[in-house]
Amino acid sequence: MTANILIVDDEEDIRRLIQGILEDEGYTTQQAANAEQAYVRMAEKTPALAILDIWLGQGDEDGLKILARIKEEHPLLPVLMISGHGTIETAVTAIKMGAYDFIEKPFKTDRLLLMISRALETAALKRENLTLRQRADVPMDLSGESAAVVSLGQTLGRVGPTNSRVLISGEPGTGKDLAARMIHKMSARSTGPFMMLNCATLLPERLEIELFGSVDGTTGVLERSHGGTLLLDEVADMPLETQGKIVRVLQEQKFSRIGAKDPVQVDVRILASTNRDLQQAMEKGDFRQDLFYRLNVVPVRMPSLRERIEDIPALADYFLRQYVASNGVTSRTMSEAALAALQVYNWPGNVRQLRNMIEWVMIMNAPSSEPIRVDQLPPEITGQSGDAGTARVLDRELAALPLREAREKFEKDYLEAQVKRFQGNISKTSQFIGMERSALHRKLKSLGIAMNDSSDNIAATQKKSA
C-alpha cells in the first residue's frame, strides 16, 4: 500500500513543493503549518513518515518539541527533520531525540526521495524485529505426532495462506494464540505486524479505545495491525455494542477513532479465539449471530492435552530444551517413570500447565545430568503431599481393604492408567507392562476395563468377513 507522509512546515510554498515531489512518486500526503495542526492530522490518520521543519513561525511548539511528542506516542514512526537555518548542533540534537536524519533547505529532490525510501525501509525492519522478539518465546510449530496434531497442522496449512477469517476454539492453555501466529506466519501478511488484543481483560470503554484509538492521538490496535493480522483473543467477552462495531469493520475494513468523524481505512486480517461455547452464548443473547458467522468462516478446534497424551514426551523434551537454552543450565531429560506419570495425569491447564510444570521442576531441583525422577515432579502430578522426597502416604481407601481386594483395586487403577496412556492400544500397553497380549486381554476383561484397540477391531472385522 502507498505510504502516507505528513509534511509539517510553516511555509505554504515549501509544503506544496514537497507535496508535488512526493505525489509524483506515488505517495499520499497530509499537511500541517504548526504543532496543533500536526497533532490533528496524526489523530485523523497515523502517517508512515513525517517530514518536520525545526523552526516553525506559528504556534508555541517548535519542531523539536513535536518530534519529542511523536517519538513518545509513535516510537517506530520515522521522522525527517528539515531546516533552512540549521546547525550541526541542532541536527545532532534531533537525531539523538530519535529523528531518522536531517536535511538542509534548499534540498535536492533525489536526496529527499532517497532518504524517505531508506527511512521507510528502516522502519519496516524495526517493526519486523519487534514482531520477531515478541514471538521469541513461542514455538512456531506444533510438537508431537498424534492424530489430533497432524490433523490440526493440515488444517492450519490449508487456511494459513488464504485471507479467510478463522475462529479458533479450545480450552485455556491449548495454544490458541500459537495457532493464530502460525496462520499469520504462513500467510502473505507474514512480513506485516501480528497484534493480539485480549477482550477479557479490559473494561468496555477501554477496550474500544484499544481497538479503534481516539481523537487525542492514541492509535488503536486495528490501525497498528494494518497490512498484517489481528487476533481478538477471548472474543466471547467482548461487549455487545463493541461486537456491532466489529461487524462493520469486517464489512467495510474501515472505522472511526473514538471522538472522531473521519473514517480510517485499514487492511487487516482478523482472527478470533474463544474458550466458550459461542452457540450457547448466542442462545443467551450474549453474542451476535452476524459476528459469529463472519468470524467463523474456517473453524479450528485446538485439542486438549488429554486428547494427545502421546505428544507429552515430545512436548516435555521441547520445553526442557527451551528452558536450558534460555537459562544456561545443565541439560536434563525425563525418566521413563516420570514420563509415564505425566501421561496419566489429567492436565486441566493443558500445554501451558505442562510448560509451567517443566519450569517448576528445573527451578526446584538441584542441577544434575541425571534424568528427572518421579519424586522430583510437583505434588499434583505424583499425588504426594509435603516435600518431593518424603515417602508416599498409603491411599486411605486401599488401607481399609483386605490384601486381595486392595491388590485387585491397584491392578485395575494401574491398568486403566496404562490403557489411557497408550490411547487404548493393547499391543503397546502389553509391551510396556511386560505382559502377553492375550493375558492382558483376559485381565482387562476380568477387571471390567473397556478396551478400544484399533488392531483388535480390524482383526474382528476380517474374521467376520471371512
Side-chain angles (χ1 to χ4, degrees), residues 215-247:
V215 73
D216 66 3
T218 302
T219 305
V221 70
L222 269 168
E223 195 167 347
R224 298 202 304 273
S225 303
H226 178 70
T229 306
L230 170 61
L231 170 64
L232 298 176
D233 191 27
E234 300 306 338
V235 70
D237 293 294
M238 182 181 287
L240 282 169
E241 184 179 352
T242 309
Q243 291 178 29
K245 294 181 180 180
I246 289 294
V247 169

Side-chain angles (χ1 to χ4, degrees), residues 331-349:
S331 180
R332 300 291 300 270
T333 59
M334 284 279 178
S335 68
E336 284 295 326
L339 286 174
L342 298 184
Q343 288 183 297
V344 298
Y345 181 64
N346 197 44
W347 297 109

Side-chain angles (χ1 to χ4, degrees), residues 414-415 427-437 439-440:
Y414 172 77
L415 291 174
S427 297
K428 290 183 179 179
T429 305
S430 64
Q431 184 179 5
F432 177 79
I433 67 176
M435 191 176 191
E436 288 293 334
R437 196 167 180 277
L440 177 58

